[in-house]
Amino acid sequence: ATAFHLSFSPDGALLAMDAWFRGDNDQDGDTLVWDTETGEILFDRIGDETAASADPAFSPDGSRLVLGSRSGGVFSASVWDTSSWVQLDEVPLDQPWHDSFFTPDGSLLAFADWGGQIVLIDTETWEVSGQPLDAHNGLIRSMDMTADGSRLVTAANDGFVRVWDIHDRALVQQYDFGDEDFASARFMDDDRRLLVTPMETGIPIVMHLDVNDLILGARSRITRGFTPEECATYELDPCPTLEEIRAGL
């Protein structure tokens, strides 16, 4: 078997794996869920012809698990109760999807499909909320949300990493990496920086979201102050010390 996606429940008690046990179709998918304390398999979809490969997503309270499904050429997301392992609902989608993420309050579920769109689902009705967001011109490999659920980062195989305002459906920031493809994108450091990992090199890249943080970081790396000659040339009087330059004084 080949494991494609792993996801822990919020309390760490469950581990869901999307894997490939059958055939040679990259849209096939088999799911197993383990109890992380006992190692017991609690649920599996091995051999289920309606299962499709996608990143499993637990709801914030761990009571729901969203998995990829399909019937013929129609793709969907199936919603499962994690106490009874009964399917509760099914959300039809236009395309197969690669990644999914709940907002921290659990009110919305975001899907990143193979066509570059973000689809938001209202988790009370399990219906599409608003128009899909045309996020990329290619497969969205990864996405993540800020802790307050206000912003979403997406990384795709079109070379772009983009940050979105979820409520306004507006582009906030974007980073162009040319022909680069990405394996993952994550918020870090209280959502002030991004950690993105290119597919080819696997070497993580850290990016500041606030330019002031970037300036402060650059100042902290200054290793010397101005010489008396430089201060005279630039008419700096009094001539600042290294500590004053680092502090931006």
Side-chain angles (χ1 to χ4, degrees), residues 18-239:
D18 168 53
W20 196 4
F21 286 85
R22 57 197 161 96
D24 57 0
N25 188 337
D26 61 7
Q27 294 175 354
D28 288 339
D30 299 289
T31 304
L32 293 103
V33 181
W34 286 271
D35 182 308
T36 57
E37 184 175 351
T38 65
E40 178 187 359
I41 296 176
L42 303 177
F43 174 72
D44 78 76
R45 297 178 77 193
I46 296 176
D48 183 348
E49 295 299 324
T50 67
S53 181
D55 192 6
F58 285 97
S59 61
D61 64 2
S63 66
R64 303 288 184 264
L65 177 62
V66 177
L67 302 172
S69 293
R70 67 173 176 168
S71 177
V74 179
F75 289 85
S76 61
S78 54
V79 184
W80 299 79
D81 184 298
T82 58
S83 59
S84 64
W85 298 110
V86 171
Q87 183 174 337
L88 302 175
D89 217 320
E90 192 149 359
V91 182
L93 298 168
D94 290 338
Q95 296 197 46
W97 49 280
H98 189 271
D99 204 357
S100 61
F101 218 99
F102 281 90
T103 53
D105 63 3
S107 63
L108 291 174
L109 174 61
F111 291 102
D113 72 25
W114 287 20
Q117 286 190 326
I118 300 293
V119 180
L120 295 176
I121 303 297
D122 184 319
T123 57
E124 282 196 10
T125 63
W126 295 108
E127 295 181 353
V128 175
S129 173
Q131 292 296 316
L133 178 65
D134 292 320
H136 291 271
N137 293 318
L139 171 63
I140 299 174
R141 297 282 190 189
S142 180
M143 63 180 178
D144 191 24
M145 284 187 186
T146 54
D148 63 3
S150 65
R151 294 192 176 185
L152 178 77
V153 62
T154 57
N157 65 359
D158 61 0
F160 284 95
V161 174
R162 292 182 169 132
V163 179
W164 305 88
D165 183 300
I166 293 176
H167 303 296
D168 294 338
R169 315 288 175 99
L171 179 64
V172 178
Q173 290 171 285
Q174 74 171 3
Y175 305 89
D176 185 354
F177 287 86
D179 296 329
E180 191 65 80
D181 192 359
F182 290 93
S184 68
R186 291 290 181 266
F187 287 103
M188 58 182 292
D189 293 341
D190 296 326
D191 301 330
R192 300 181 68 87
R193 296 197 290 174
L194 286 177
L195 179 69
V196 298
T197 306
M199 186 77 72
E200 184 174 351
T201 66
I203 300 174
I205 300 170
V206 177
M207 300 184 297
H208 288 274
L209 293 173
D210 188 332
V211 68
N212 292 319
D213 288 344
L214 182 61
I215 292 172
L216 288 173
R219 283 176 177 160
S220 70
R221 290 169 173 77
I222 296 174
T223 58
R224 71 171 182 84
F226 290 108
T227 65
E229 292 77 13
E230 288 169 335
C231 284
T233 299
Y234 297 111
E235 299 180 353
L236 299 175
D237 187 19
C239 195

